[in-house]
Amino acid sequence: MNKFMIRQSFILLLTATIWGFAFVSQSVGMDYVEPFTFNAMRSLIGAAVLVPVIFLLRRLSSEKHERKVHKTEEKKAWTGGICCGVILAAASSFQQFGIQRTTVGKAGFITAMYIIMVPFLGIFLGKKLGVRIVASVAVAVAGLYFLCMTESLRLDAGDILLMISALIFSFHIMAVDHFSPLTDGVKMSCIQFLTSGILCGICMFLFEAPKISMILAAWKPILYAGALSCGAGYTLQIIGQRGMNPTVASLIMSLESVISVLAGFLLLHEVLSIRELLGCGLMFVAIILAQLPERRAAEE
């Protein structure tokens, strides 16, 4: 594996870490506000956090040629950002509603099923499905089962909503894979959150009764979900996916399930069972297995 792939893999692992800890903030935040309100606030915060970053990066680009490049990429950034934002708004909304209607264990397992959906969606886009990728997906699914599925497997309304969320997140990963090489990742991410925030905000006023007092009461989880999970996490996803096989990228990002369990241990003092430790181990094996073809290619 070359240095570039190692760097991209590390960025995606950092993304998974941020998202893993975000499960705690999402759970706590839902005790105060409703799904559309939570998603609208976190998305708008994510967009606001990235605005000064964009201006700083633009100021550092002192050469005229670079400024012209930025102008030519403006349209692509808006196109990619709006497309990804619409998909993200739908996926995150289905996820929030699903979490309300099922157990956390099932939510973690079902949401992470995008690791199965991404490679098979990639077939329709001309992506090759190698034997090692298929094997790594199978191992990862087994790991997620041992890690999260502690109750009897039965689909209810919440499970179906999370299945839909996982499918939409798969499209989001594919959209990021398409647009990220074409434009500036930070700018596209900012537009993505602005789009998602506006859409969720409209739904918030149409279907919910948001209260300023409750939003302020949930400021800590909303701020983490907005500044870190959205502002940092999804931006790192766009940067990290650049040049990466989307299936491998989805496998690395699915480690958020493992990290969410570790976050529960660190923050909520939950003890990992042997079953959960086995799931963590299988997930790490899947990630290593998915990287093996790239190592061999690098050696050749």
Side-chain angles (χ1 to χ4, degrees):
M1 187 190 303
N2 56 40
K3 291 182 179 180
F4 173 78
M5 299 307 293
I6 292 176
R7 188 192 69 180
Q8 298 302 93
S9 298
F10 176 78
I11 291 174
L12 292 176
L13 179 59
L14 180 58
T15 302
T17 302
I18 294 172
W19 285 347
F21 279 90
F23 271 102
V24 177
S25 67
Q26 284 182 265
S27 177
V28 175
M30 294 298 290
D31 293 336
Y32 300 92
V33 295
E34 296 178 272
F36 285 127
T37 302
F38 184 86
N39 283 334
M41 294 299 104
R42 70 182 291 194
S43 296
L44 292 176
I45 290 174
V49 166
L50 293 179
V51 170
V53 177
I54 292 173
F55 279 103
L56 177 61
L57 292 177
R58 181 178 295 180
R59 191 169 184 178
L60 292 175
S61 301
S62 57
E63 296 183 10
K64 293 182 179 180
H65 173 70
E66 291 182 354
R67 291 182 185 274
K68 290 181 180 179
V69 170
H70 287 314
K71 289 182 179 180
T72 59
E73 290 183 346
E74 195 80 26
K75 186 176 180 180
K76 294 178 181 177
W78 278 98
T79 302
I82 292 174
C83 289
C84 291
V86 171
I87 299 172
L88 180 62
S92 59
S93 296
F94 275 105
Q95 183 187 54
Q96 289 299 120
F97 279 104
I99 289 175
Q100 285 186 318
R101 293 168 171 80
T102 190
T103 62
V104 174
K106 283 187 177 181
F109 175 73
I110 296 172
T111 300
M113 292 296 286
Y114 60 73
I115 68 172
I116 295 178
M117 300 174 181
V118 167
F120 292 99
L121 287 175
I123 295 176
F124 298 98
L125 299 176
K127 303 285 185 181
K128 293 183 178 180
L129 201 63
V131 176
R132 290 187 182 276
I133 294 295
V134 174
S136 62
V137 168
V139 174
V141 170
L144 285 169
Y145 179 86
F146 285 112
L147 177 64
C148 301
M149 193 62 66
T150 56
E151 304 87 8
S152 59
L153 182 59
R154 181 176 59 84
L155 286 177
D156 54 24
D159 299 332
I160 295 173
L161 289 172
L162 287 167
M163 277 286 195
I164 297 172
S165 172
L167 177 61
I168 301 174
F169 270 124
S170 301
F171 284 106
H172 183 261
I173 291 174
M174 301 303 294
V176 170
D177 179 65
H178 174 73
F179 287 109
S180 62
L182 305 178
T183 186
D184 177 73
V186 179
K187 184 178 295 184
M188 187 178 104
S189 186
C190 181
I191 297 170
Q192 168 185 244
F193 296 131
L194 180 61
T195 302
S196 178
I198 291 173
L199 292 176
C200 290
I202 293 173
C203 292
M204 173 183 72
F205 287 112
L206 288 177
F207 305 112
E208 298 176 352
K211 296 180 180 179
I212 298 297
S213 59
M214 299 306 292
I215 293 175
L216 293 177
W219 73 270
K220 288 183 180 179
I222 290 177
L223 183 61
Y224 180 91
L228 290 179
S229 181
C230 285
Y234 282 99
T235 302
L236 288 173
Q237 177 201 3
I238 291 174
I239 296 172
Q241 269 195 244
R242 191 171 294 170
M244 287 282 287
N245 182 310
T247 301
V248 176
S250 67
L251 282 167
I252 297 175
M253 289 185 290
S254 71
L255 278 173
E256 65 179 299
S257 297
V258 179
I259 296 168
S260 67
V261 174
L262 297 177
F265 172 75
L266 294 174
L267 300 178
L268 305 177
H269 306 291
E270 296 176 348
V271 179
L272 293 175
S273 66
I274 296 178
R275 181 188 182 92
E276 290 169 330
L277 289 173
L278 176 60
C280 291
L282 288 173
M283 286 296 297
F284 280 112
V285 169
I287 300 304
I288 294 173
L289 185 61
Q291 297 295 324
L292 286 180
E294 296 176 344
R295 289 177 180 175
R296 290 187 176 183
E299 289 174 0
E300 292 174 1

